[in-house]
Amino acid sequence: MDDYWNQYWNYSDIINRENKHAQVGRTIQGIPLEGWLWDKTIEFVFNHLDLELSMSALDLCAGNGLITEPLSQKVKFVIAVDCSKKFIDSINKKQLENTTAICCDARSFKFKDNFFDISICYFALQHFKVHESIELFRNIYHLMKPGGKFYIGDIPDLDRIWEFHSTDNYKSVFFESLERREPIIGTWYKKDTLINLSKYIGYSKQEIITQEKFMINNHYRFDMLLIK
Ligand SMILES: C[S@@+](CC[C@H](N)C(=O)[O-])C[C@H]1O[C@@H](n2cnc3c(N)ncnc32)[C@H](O)[C@@H]1O
């Protein structure tokens, strides 16, 4: 894993913010996302997954559990994986009956092959370089049952990078951050790169999902659903 992000999610001040959305950087001009808007976002994601109470789910790069907890109410069993010790501790503190949170690198997370019905990786693919995403997609492919669904949400869209860094000032901040090796967001992806990558790994179906207007990052991010 890129050491920068490991350090960032274990030692930077962001993880000590009071608000849970602020802790994972889900803010609009510095203001944390409101609960009702997150509930709608979760509903949007879950509607693509046909969740059932018999299912086993993997929440990858789970952060402080903002997806893990609602997911645990919809399925039989959840494993949440994140590289941030503080976030994993905060999930385990909730003592959710059917959930285990594990501190480790998502790419090297090992479990039984063909086990999970559902995997979700939301608002985190930017932390992986393209070659690391290949490893990640392959790892998840092995962990999921045939027919299992892998939802990758909130992926920065390379085709819209200059709509995001739109002013001269934002562009300067962006290039300065790259020079310092402290990227503001991380890796931006072209949709067809991820489609081709997932075909290369062997996923049988892939769908790009356009975010709805109410979703706070819809102007520069997209979602994707893969079927093993
Ligand atoms: C922006 S947060 C999103 C958290 C959560 N998915 C959500 O949407 O609320 C990104 C998370 O990815 C985790 N992360 C980044 N790289 C990782 C890796 N290689 N393995 C495991 N977790 C990772 C970070 O620790 C952080 O909690």
Side-chain angles (χ1 to χ4, degrees):
M1 171 185 178
D2 190 327
D3 205 39
Y4 172 71
W5 292 115
N6 195 357
Q7 296 281 322
Y8 182 88
W9 289 110
N10 276 290
Y11 303 109
S12 76
D13 286 343
I14 189 170
I15 62 174
N16 299 318
R17 290 174 179 172
E18 205 167 312
N19 180 282
K20 290 266 177 198
H21 285 290
Q23 286 173 7
V24 294
R26 191 175 289 110
T27 57
I28 313 166
Q29 290 172 346
I31 300 177
L33 188 73
E34 289 182 43
W36 67 271
L37 210 44
W38 182 237
D39 293 345
K40 264 185 95 169
T41 305
I42 291 279
E43 196 185 334
F44 176 86
V45 173
F46 288 2
N47 279 345
H48 287 91
L49 292 172
D50 306 312
L51 299 175
E52 290 176 15
L53 283 169
S54 58
M55 289 179 163
S56 302
L58 176 61
D59 186 7
L60 270 184
C61 303
N64 52 24
L66 284 161
I67 290 177
T68 314
E69 191 165 4
L71 183 60
S72 72
Q73 291 157 9
K74 298 270 182 193
V75 298
K76 186 170 153 199
F77 177 69
V78 181
I79 293 201
V81 170
D82 200 281
C83 64
S84 168
K85 186 173 179 319
K86 180 156 182 164
F87 283 167
I88 288 298
D89 288 348
S90 77
I91 298 177
N92 279 328
K93 248 188 226 142
K94 289 176 196 275
Q95 298 193 311
L96 303 170
E97 255 176 35
N98 60 349
T99 299
T100 304
I102 301 171
C103 187
C104 87
D105 188 320
R107 289 163 313 152
S108 53
F109 168 67
K110 294 280 176 256
F111 204 73
K112 291 177 209 162
D113 279 359
N114 302 310
F115 183 82
F116 293 101
D117 300 279
I118 299 291
S119 297
I120 300 178
C121 178
Y122 200 85
F123 194 32
L125 199 70
Q126 67 268 13
H127 299 319
F128 299 85
K129 302 235 167 71
V130 176
H131 72 271
E132 295 174 313
S133 287
I134 300 173
E135 277 178 81
L136 184 77
F137 278 37
R138 183 177 287 123
N139 195 18
I140 302 313
Y141 181 89
H142 289 304
L143 296 175
M144 285 200 308
K145 289 179 185 162
K149 295 181 175 173
F150 182 18
Y151 195 99
I152 309 152
D154 238 5
I155 307 165
D157 184 352
L158 185 54
D159 285 328
R160 290 185 288 173
I161 187 168
W162 303 120
E163 286 165 45
F164 181 78
H165 300 297
S166 54
T167 65
D168 286 348
N169 185 39
Y170 290 158
K171 286 176 184 130
S172 301
V173 172
F174 169 68
F175 286 116
E176 283 158 17
S177 80
L178 291 187
E179 282 192 304
R180 287 197 312 276
R181 305 275 197 279
E182 293 174 359
I184 296 172
I185 288 185
T187 308
W188 294 67
Y189 288 88
K190 277 182 86 77
K191 293 176 181 131
D192 54 8
T193 302
L194 293 176
I195 294 276
N196 286 320
L197 193 165
S198 60
K199 285 183 184 167
Y200 164 69
I201 299 299
Y203 288 93
S204 64
K205 275 193 198 156
Q206 35 282 118
E207 181 191 349
I208 297 292
I209 297 167
T210 303
Q211 295 192 348
E212 288 192 7
K213 283 275 176 272
F214 74 86
M215 295 162 87
I216 59 162
N217 295 329
N218 79 80
H219 54 299
Y220 74 102
R221 291 183 184 248
F222 63 92
D223 294 2
M224 182 175 201
L225 179 66
L226 305 180
I227 313 285
K228 176 168 173 179

